[in-house]
Amino acid sequence: MSASSAPAAEPKPALTGSGPRRRRRLFAAALVLVCAAVLCGAVLFGLNAAIESRVGVVPEPEVATVVDDRDGHLLRAFASADGRWRLDVQRSEVDPRFLQMLLAWEDRRFWTHGGVDGRALVRAAWQALTHGHIVSGGSTLTMQVARMLRGSPNDSLADKADQILDAVALERTLPKTAIVDLYLKIAPYGGNLEGVRAAALAWFGKEPKRLTAAEAALLVVLPQSPERFRPDRFPARAKTARDRVLTRMQHLGLLAAPEAERARAEPVPRRRRELPMLAAHAAQRLVDAAPTRKRFRLTVDAGLQQRLEDYAREKATHLGEHVSLALLVADHATGAILASVGSPDLFDAERQGHVDLTEALRSPGSTLKPLIYGLAFERGVAHPESLVDDRPADFAGYTPQNFDHVYEGVITARRALQLSRNLPAVELLSAVGPSRLVQRMRRAGAHPELGNRSLPGLAIGLGGLGLSLHDLVGIYAAIANEGRAVPLRIDADAAPDKPKASRVLSPQAAWYVSSILSGATATVKGSPGEVAYKTGTSYGYRDAWTIGFDGQHVVGVWLGRPDGATVPGLVGQDSAVPVMRDVFARLGPLTRLPGPPPGILAAAGDGLPPPLRRIGAAAALKRGGLVPEITFPIDASRVELGLDSGAPSDLFLKVRNGRPPFTWYVDGAPVARNELRHQAVWHPVEPGFVTISVVDATGAASRSRVFLQ
């Protein structure tokens, strides 16, 4: 049999039981895979559920209340309730290079990862294994923000896992830009400093908008270990850490070699600065009034405020023991307060620095005289060139005296106001009425304190009431603003108040007063000068005042002791005027006062209308005492005219003595002119008090106040 025809070899039989065993192994492997998949799914589901439970739950860090000036410069900050200096800040308010250096140092893949950088975590784990200790943390910027928001530690794997979940949840909740903003707001910078704005102000005395490379590098590295790297305690350690950042930025190409070298040569700050505290009293007042607001913007100019606070602090050292001062500067066209110095030093206990002396009620001395004269000019009682008598006189038992006990005799009203004579001012106030003076003060936004008097008396014209520096600056702002009241305001974001009555003086009367206070010698056309001002000294040398204005600003100055004690020799002219001039010098070039409005009477002597040539006692002197006297209705009487019945009778007005023609006035309005007879007739329309006056051809006058019914 040939080999090709030999029978094929039979296959070997399979091992007994090998088939079932293989199937069991395959089934077990599949079961393990299924269980692993289920377990992984469960873990992933659990992780996702843990993450989702944290999505949207972002605790909002409480920020400090800040008070900024008109241009957004920080005036004062108030620490948050937990005592942290944590100032709100946005990326747009931070130097862009600092942001570049921050992300390059902390989290280069920040814009692409989802909260966790796997590569960084693997690198950190490998470095820890090979070096035997932690070399880098592997935390992303998002993980750091998550940790800082919760205040969780960073000591264990469980803490790190918690941060990872929080970071992923944070990325699902907020955009990347908002996460950067959170870091800028809450990153720790040593002590109770949090956030880059507070850190820049405390360590460099500047906002983080513009930083040097060295400053930016220090602010990048400080949050890694804020207490170990504090430059005020460990300057060498802080410099070493900062220089590592600079070197890294040079290697990454963010800094050129020469700039990096200059930055490494720059010293680190060795002390922590105080945060700004400008306009401290005004800021505190606004915060107390609206404690839930976190940001205030004032009308104050931070540069001017700083100059005046520095000046006030230096000036106070030469004023004497316990003597303080207050300054207020406003734009009299808008009412915006540009600077408010409530005391030279908030922390000066000797001068009670915590008291806001711009709001303290004090006796205004002679500072109300310009408003008295303005009312007399407005109501036709007097003119700047009218002759008045500066001699001792009795006003129904009130016998004022001049401050220096010197009397000038018959002088012009202009000169009487410039010399601040008391007797003519009281006589004019008697003619216009103390109640009208109080009313006009209130129109200007002032809040005069009259004590327990229901009706004001003549003494208020010489300081017998309470007013604040704020009140007086408001009154003078109205005079400077052509007689229109513009309420002073310091909260730039608050809607301005609308006064009930905006007119304090007529434009003509206001200009007459400005002309007199600026030192003009006569009523002429054109600008009266540059600065108009009036001084005041209260009884007993307790308060010295000067209020002045040019064509743009009004400046108020007060000096005295906060406790109201006497300060011998404290006089407005000698003590307060130099301060006012120094304040104007710090404001910049003066603005000339405006020219006269239409209707100015530029005349004097015989060029004036006869009733305005001599007024009051001066007219009586010329007539040898034969002055007009109202014989009906007599002063302080009640006259029954049937006004309540609806059919009133005429009121006959009678005068004796005096030289005709006579002009009769009721409440300042003329009711009968050029009367040659000694009587006239007026028809009243309603009951109540009225003031009746008569002026003869020489300007002598008589007055009667009666009640009609």
Side-chain angles (χ1 to χ4, degrees):
M1 185 177 240
S2 65
S4 60
S5 61
E10 294 184 5
K12 289 184 178 182
L15 294 174
T16 304
S18 62
R21 193 178 303 117
R22 185 180 181 187
R23 286 193 295 272
R24 284 196 298 271
R25 282 199 299 268
L26 291 173
F27 177 77
L31 183 61
V32 169
L33 289 174
V34 170
C35 290
V38 171
L39 181 60
C40 289
V43 170
L44 291 174
F45 180 82
L47 287 174
N48 190 65
I51 292 171
E52 286 298 319
S53 67
R54 305 173 190 223
V55 171
V57 183
V58 180
E60 183 64 29
E62 182 187 2
V63 295
T65 299
V66 295
V67 182
D68 295 333
D69 85 334
R70 60 196 303 146
D71 297 319
H73 301 126
L74 182 65
L75 291 172
R76 184 179 182 183
F78 296 81
S80 57
D82 58 2
R84 299 282 177 177
W85 291 108
R86 188 186 300 118
L87 306 185
D88 196 12
V89 67
Q90 306 297 323
R91 284 174 299 113
S92 60
E93 300 169 319
V94 177
D95 193 319
R97 183 163 61 174
F98 164 77
L99 295 173
Q100 290 180 329
M101 294 171 66
L102 172 67
L103 293 178
W105 179 261
E106 293 287 356
D107 193 352
R108 294 177 63 185
R109 287 177 287 277
F110 172 75
W111 299 108
T112 57
H113 64 62
V116 179
D117 187 347
R119 291 166 60 183
L121 286 177
V122 170
R123 183 194 68 241
W126 175 253
Q127 290 174 338
L129 287 173
T130 56
H131 290 80
H133 61 86
I134 295 176
V135 176
S136 61
S139 294
T140 63
L141 198 73
T142 309
M143 291 171 64
Q144 295 179 48
V145 170
R147 174 175 55 82
M148 290 184 287
L149 283 174
R150 289 187 175 271
S152 58
N154 194 28
D155 301 331
S156 65
L157 290 176
D159 295 333
K160 184 67 71 174
D162 207 42
Q163 291 170 28
I164 290 173
L165 295 177
D166 284 340
V168 176
L170 194 60
E171 292 270 355
R172 295 183 184 181
T173 302
L174 298 175
K176 291 279 191 179
T177 53
I179 294 172
V180 174
D181 286 343
L182 276 173
Y183 181 90
L184 297 177
K185 189 185 303 182
I186 63 177
Y189 282 95
N192 61 348
L193 295 175
E194 290 190 7
V196 69
R197 188 182 184 196
L201 289 167
W203 296 125
F204 310 127
K206 63 194 292 188
E207 294 283 353
K209 186 71 173 178
R210 294 287 182 269
L211 299 171
T212 67
E215 292 167 346
L218 183 60
L219 294 183
V220 164
V221 78
L222 261 177
Q224 284 193 336
S225 188
E227 295 306 320
R228 287 187 67 247
F229 296 156
R230 276 187 61 164
D232 59 335
R233 295 181 178 177
F234 310 106
R237 192 182 295 167
K239 185 178 186 305
T240 300
R242 181 203 67 182
D243 290 350
R244 283 201 304 268
V245 175
L246 292 170
T247 301
R248 178 73 178 279
M249 296 306 112
Q250 180 182 346
H251 290 162
L252 292 175
L254 293 180
L255 288 178
E259 185 178 14
E261 190 62 32
R262 287 194 301 270
R264 283 188 285 267
E266 188 173 314
V268 296
R270 290 178 174 266
R271 68 179 182 88
R272 173 174 163 175
R273 304 165 186 258
E274 296 293 336
L275 267 63
M277 189 174 284
L278 296 173
H281 297 90
Q284 185 70 62
R285 188 168 63 250
L286 289 178
V287 170
D288 290 344
T292 60
R293 280 178 64 179
K294 286 299 182 181
R295 185 180 289 270
F296 295 81
R297 188 171 64 91
L298 306 190
T299 59
V300 167
D301 180 318
L304 176 63
Q305 182 74 29
Q306 182 72 69
R307 293 194 297 274
L308 293 187
E309 289 195 15
D310 292 343
Y311 168 75
R313 194 174 297 110
E314 189 277 332
K315 184 69 177 179
T317 61
H318 305 289
L319 293 179
E321 190 177 12
H322 304 296
V323 180
S324 189
L325 79 158
L327 309 172
L328 199 63
V329 180
D331 183 320
H332 55 66
T334 65
I337 293 175
L338 304 179
S340 177
V341 181
S343 70
D345 188 341
L346 184 68
F347 303 106
D348 187 345
E350 178 183 293
R351 293 184 172 86
Q352 300 182 32
H354 62 283
V355 178
D356 186 357
L357 295 169
T358 67
E359 297 290 333
L361 292 177
R362 314 290 295 215
S363 167
S366 296
T367 56
L368 289 178
K369 288 177 182 175
L371 187 55
I372 296 172
Y373 278 76
L375 287 172
F377 300 153
E378 176 186 282
R379 300 182 65 78
V381 173
H383 180 273
E385 312 309 328
S386 297
L387 294 177
V388 296
D389 187 30
D390 178 34
R391 299 174 190 268
D394 184 287
F395 298 89
Y398 176 52
T399 56
Q401 296 180 342
N402 283 332
F403 180 78
D404 56 6
H405 302 288
V406 174
Y407 299 92
E408 300 289 332
V410 177
I411 55 177
T412 64
R414 174 183 299 276
R415 189 64 178 154
L417 178 54
Q418 289 173 343
L419 294 176
S420 195
R421 301 289 89 187
N422 287 346
L423 275 300
V426 173
E427 186 169 46
L428 291 177
L429 179 59
S430 177
V432 300
S435 295
R436 182 169 286 108
L437 176 64
V438 172
Q439 177 200 42
R440 297 300 177 91
M441 284 190 278
R442 288 174 175 156
R443 284 190 186 184
H447 300 84
E449 174 55 53
L450 301 175
N452 57 5
R453 297 188 297 272
S454 57
L455 291 175
L458 295 177
I460 69 170
L462 303 182
L465 77 167
L467 284 172
S468 67
L469 181 61
H470 185 279
D471 292 332
L472 285 171
V473 169
I475 292 170
Y476 278 72
I479 296 173
N481 193 41
E482 299 180 337
R484 291 192 302 268
V486 180
L488 299 185
R489 60 188 183 90
I490 198 168
D491 189 345
D493 296 325
D497 295 332
K498 293 184 178 180
K500 295 180 180 178
S502 61
R503 180 59 65 183
V504 175
L505 287 176
S506 70
Q508 295 79 16
W511 188 84
Y512 283 144
V513 171
S514 299
S515 169
I516 295 172
L517 298 184
S518 64
T521 57
T523 305
V524 295
K525 301 292 184 181
S527 172
E530 290 184 329
V531 177
Y533 71 92
K534 181 70 182 74
T535 64
T537 305
S538 67
Y539 178 78
Y541 302 96
R542 291 175 170 84
D543 308 276
W545 306 85
T546 296
I547 318 293
F549 56 87
D550 66 357
Q552 182 178 1
H553 301 111
V554 56
V555 171
V557 177
W558 172 88
L559 292 92
R561 286 183 51 146
D563 59 6
T566 294
V567 182
L570 188 69
V571 178
Q573 182 65 41
D574 300 332
S575 302
V577 169
V579 175
M580 179 202 69
R581 296 194 186 281
D582 289 342
V583 172
F584 269 114
R586 285 160 175 78
L587 276 170
L590 294 171
T591 303
R592 290 189 67 82
L593 296 166
I600 292 297
L601 177 59
D606 291 341
L608 291 172
L612 292 178
R613 294 172 188 170
R614 287 176 173 261
I615 57 176
L621 286 171
K622 186 174 182 180
R623 292 289 297 161
L626 196 60
V627 297
E629 180 183 353
I630 296 176
T631 58
F632 188 84
I634 62 174
D635 189 43
S637 63
R638 286 178 174 266
V639 181
E640 176 63 54
L641 296 175
L643 289 166
D644 295 329
S645 65
S649 303
D650 290 335
L651 178 64
F652 286 89
L653 311 174
K654 299 180 180 181
V655 62
R656 68 183 177 192
N657 301 330
R659 178 185 296 177
F662 299 99
T663 301
W664 291 88
Y665 298 87
V666 175
D667 288 335
V671 296
R673 296 177 182 271
N674 299 322
E675 291 287 340
L676 297 175
R677 297 181 300 167
H678 283 71
Q679 69 177 32
V681 178
W682 173 60
H683 185 76
V685 295
E686 59 183 4
F689 282 101
V690 296
T691 300
I692 300 169
S693 306
V694 64
V695 181
D696 73 356
T698 68
S702 180
R703 176 174 171 270
S704 176
R705 183 168 175 81
V706 299
F707 186 82
L708 306 180
Q709 58 189 29

